[in-house]
Structure formats: structure tokens, C-alpha cells
Amino acid sequence: MQNLKLIIFITWTILLSACGGSDNKVSVKPDTTLNTNDAFEVVLNAHNVPAIAGMHIKQGVISEQFALGQRSAQNTMEVSLSDRWHIGSITKSFTATLAARLIETDVIQWDTQIQDIFNADEYNQKFAEITLIDLLSHTSGIEADVLKVSNWNSYFDSDLPITTQRQIMAKELMNMPGSKIGQFNYSNGGYVVAGAMLERVMATNWETLLEEYVLLPMDINDAQFGAPYDGVELTQPYGHNWKSGNWQAVNPTGKYADNPKVIGPAGTLNMSLNSLQKYAQIHLQGNLGNNDFLTTANFKRLHQEVANTNYALGWAINNKIISHNGSNTMWFAVLAINLSTQTITIAATNAGGSKGDNVTQNIMNTLVQRNGS
């Protein structure tokens, strides 16, 4: 069985693709004469993926949304607007948001260092002064590739408590050579260590913390961890792999339906697009000083570029646009917030690889062009 890994994020317009069917950069030009479903049915058919979904929100009002295609390429069951989609590394901004919430309870600070949380025998001394901000901005130097840890495959079915698993992996990551400290190097490993830090100070697992401090206070009630699944077949979309010229649905209960839970802080969330837009709205309004979920200063800290890296804390930065994409090689999702025009754009598909990359880019561009920003 092939190992899984998270897709590395660069920007919302330049994405690295996973193994998957080549799409030859198909791009359907927006047709403003068609209604929403007809316009995006053209996109779905052109890109040859099982299903797609998208949403555009301007100044708090949903201007366009759709969900089209099949939950499984091997079944005719269609997706719906309430279905959940795996959002991969978009999860990183949720982890950073959790950190900000805990900072406001004064249990940890942005400048808290590894040496403040972990015992001296748990980390290489060169990482002693690495801060929470360093970890969340990919400038910590912590090993980027979590697949390099020993016994990677054992994490897919480990029966150890999840906090124990994260402490074990974090310790190993903090003792690997890693990269140059202070230089941007997109690191899933850094987010595992950040999650382990939050767990250490709170004595509670990251999943519970995220639900208690972020998801439920945001009225996000449908979020889950791992591949979307309700306990009944095909009540949610399945992820897909490209094999022998066809899409093959991946059973969400299978061992390799998602990355192992241990790297959750780096990218294992799934939720409906409506829930994702609730999250985006809170970030947008918080940046404008219009809600008290966090202080305006901490919202701006989350969205502030670090050391000319075009990256903040869980967000890529392009002028007034903050964004992120995510994939576990079987799904692809993109979220972008334009802080200037107060618009939110979301795209998702239950397919990975270059096809997932390409179709979500096409959806994002089409939604923006159809809706004027």
C-alpha cells in the first residue's frame, strides 16, 4: 500500500500536485449567461473529476454556491450542498487560530519557546529557542517531511492515545536535522510540534481543544477529523485515487483513507463548505475589528506576513488576499479571503493530483469572474 502524504502548499494560484491524472491545464472560461449549476456542470465535465463544489460570499451574502457530481465514481449517488469535504492543509489556519485562542487565556504566548514547554532531553538544543510563531510560520527549521520519521506506517493503526503519538513524533522531529532556522520551509512537521506544544500546556488532545475553543464557538457543528464518514455508505463524498486511467473511490473506513491522526494539526479536518465559510467570515470580520472571537490584534497577527515569506500563521499572503489550499492526495480544497473587497471564495473536489489542483483553480477563477471580484 502506497504511503500518503500531505500536499505542500505554495500559494492559492501556484500549487504542487500529487500523483494523479494529468489534466493538461484544462481551463473553462466563465460563462455569465448560464445559471450557476449549468456553468459549473461544464467545468465538472471538462475536468473529468467525480464531483466539485464551490461558494462565493460577498460582504456576508452568499452570491453563488453549488455541489455537482458523484460521491463515488463507482456509484450514481450525487453530492449535495450540505456534504462535507476534506480540507487538508487549510487545517493549519485552524491550528493557528486555536493557538491564538489559548494565548488569550494566557496559558501560552506567541513567543513561547520549545525549551519552555518540553524537557531538555526531548529536543536538539539548536531548537531550544524556536517559538510558537516560528512553528506556525514554517520558519522553525523543524523537519518538513513527516514521512521521514521512523515507523511512519505504524501511525496509521496505532492504538496509543493520540496525545502520546504526537509527543513521540514531536520528539523525533525535534531531534532531526531539519532545515535552516529562520528560513521559510513549508513544514508539516512544524505543525505537529506546534500541536504537541498546545497539548502539553493544556493536557488535552488537539482535536478536543479545537472543538472546544474554535469549532463549537464558531457554530461549526459538522466538522470531523479524517475522511468524511457518517457510519453509512455514501452519505458523504468519498476521496478518489487515479488508477489505470480511472478514478477509484477510497473507502473512508480503510486504513489509508487519510493521513494518520497524529498529524492532525497539519491537515485532517473535513467539513461542509457552509461551515468553512462561517470560519472565513469570522476571520474576515475579525480582521476588520467587527467581532470579539479574538482581539483585533491577534486576528491581524494571524494574517501578518512573517519575514518576507508571503506566509503568515496558517495563511499565505498576497497583498490583501489571505488563502490556503489542502490535499491528502485524494481530495483538493482552496479557501481565499479578500480582506479589501470583503469576499470569500471556496472550491473543493473529491479528487486529488493535478486534476484536483486544476479544477479547484478553475472553480476559484470562475467564481471570482462571475461575481465581479
Side-chain angles (χ1 to χ4, degrees):
M1 178 66 69
Q2 184 179 4
N3 288 345
L4 303 181
K5 65 178 179 180
L6 293 174
I7 300 307
I8 293 177
F9 176 84
I10 303 298
T11 75
W12 78 284
T13 56
I14 304 174
L15 315 177
L16 295 184
S17 61
C19 296
S22 174
D23 211 13
N24 296 319
K25 292 300 179 184
V26 172
S27 182
V28 178
K29 293 183 178 180
D31 188 339
T32 56
T33 67
L34 297 176
N35 66 35
T36 299
N37 279 3
D38 288 346
F40 286 97
E41 190 79 43
V42 175
V43 174
L44 172 66
N45 293 334
H47 286 272
N48 182 30
V49 293
I52 58 174
M55 183 179 286
H56 187 273
I57 304 97
K58 187 168 186 177
Q59 296 183 344
V61 178
I62 296 175
S63 53
E64 202 158 29
Q65 63 178 323
F66 67 89
L68 299 166
Q70 298 169 303
R71 288 175 176 166
S72 165
Q74 281 69 55
N75 192 282
T76 59
M77 186 73 70
E78 294 184 350
V79 294
S80 73
L81 291 175
S82 61
D83 280 354
R84 300 196 307 277
W85 304 80
H86 195 288
I87 65 170
S89 286
I90 297 173
T91 304
K92 289 182 171 67
S93 68
F94 282 80
T95 297
T97 302
L98 169 61
R101 289 277 281 178
L102 296 181
I103 284 166
E104 295 197 354
T105 68
D106 207 31
V107 296
I108 195 168
Q109 301 300 321
W110 290 123
D111 60 0
T112 296
Q113 299 178 347
I114 279 177
Q115 65 183 352
D116 298 326
I117 304 298
F118 297 100
N119 300 323
D121 61 352
E122 293 181 289
Y123 56 86
N124 186 310
Q125 286 300 308
K126 79 172 188 175
F127 294 125
E129 296 182 359
I130 291 302
T131 68
L132 185 57
I133 278 186
D134 296 331
L135 292 165
L136 298 175
S137 64
H138 303 295
T139 58
S140 67
I142 293 291
E143 174 58 48
D145 188 356
V146 290
L147 272 72
K148 290 183 179 180
V149 300
S150 58
N151 303 313
W152 165 254
N153 275 327
S154 69
Y155 285 106
F156 283 92
D157 53 11
S158 175
D159 57 4
L160 291 173
I162 192 60
T163 51
T164 302
Q165 293 182 49
R166 286 203 185 102
Q167 297 300 318
I168 291 171
M169 182 177 282
K171 180 178 179 179
E172 183 170 359
L173 289 165
M174 291 187 292
N175 282 281
M176 296 172 74
S179 58
K180 184 178 179 181
I181 294 173
Q183 180 175 302
F184 181 86
N185 186 30
Y186 188 90
S187 175
N188 290 311
Y191 267 76
V192 173
V193 174
M197 286 181 72
L198 301 182
E199 290 181 336
R200 184 71 68 93
V201 297
M202 295 297 291
T204 306
N205 66 62
W206 168 81
E207 288 85 351
T208 299
L209 293 172
L210 196 69
E211 289 178 347
E212 180 178 347
Y213 286 90
V214 178
L215 299 174
L216 295 181
M218 287 187 176
D219 193 33
I220 295 175
N221 301 303
D222 62 4
Q224 293 183 348
F225 304 96
Y229 186 59
D230 287 334
V232 179
E233 290 185 0
L234 292 172
T235 55
Q236 292 295 332
Y238 286 12
H240 288 78
N241 285 321
W242 182 262
K243 293 182 179 179
S244 303
N246 293 289
W247 289 111
Q248 296 295 322
V250 179
N251 189 317
T253 65
K255 180 177 178 179
Y256 295 102
D258 189 22
N259 283 296
K261 295 178 181 179
V262 66
I263 63 168
T268 63
L269 270 173
N270 75 74
M271 65 185 63
S272 67
L273 296 199
N274 187 55
S275 288
L276 190 55
Q277 71 86 19
K278 286 182 183 179
Y279 171 74
Q281 288 280 13
I282 287 173
H283 270 271
L284 172 58
Q285 294 304 317
N287 188 277
L288 298 171
N290 293 339
N291 69 45
D292 58 3
F293 185 82
L294 293 168
T295 64
T296 303
N298 273 329
F299 272 117
K300 290 185 178 297
R301 172 66 275 186
L302 288 169
H303 306 155
Q304 180 182 335
E305 181 182 11
V306 175
N308 298 314
T309 60
N310 295 320
Y311 200 90
L313 308 182
W315 298 96
I317 308 300
N318 182 4
N319 295 318
K320 286 293 186 177
I321 297 174
I322 62 173
S323 61
H324 217 289
N325 80 337
S327 178
N328 68 352
T329 76
M330 292 165 283
W331 302 76
F332 223 106
V334 187
L335 167 64
I337 305 172
N338 190 319
L339 300 173
S340 178
T341 62
Q342 298 182 42
T343 56
I344 298 162
T345 313
I346 306 170
T349 181
N350 56 345
S354 59
K355 285 183 179 291
D357 170 346
N358 199 2
V359 72
T360 50
Q361 289 191 48
N362 202 166
I363 292 167
M364 297 292 281
N365 291 334
T366 301
L367 283 169
V368 168
Q369 291 181 49
R370 281 174 61 87
N371 290 279
S373 62

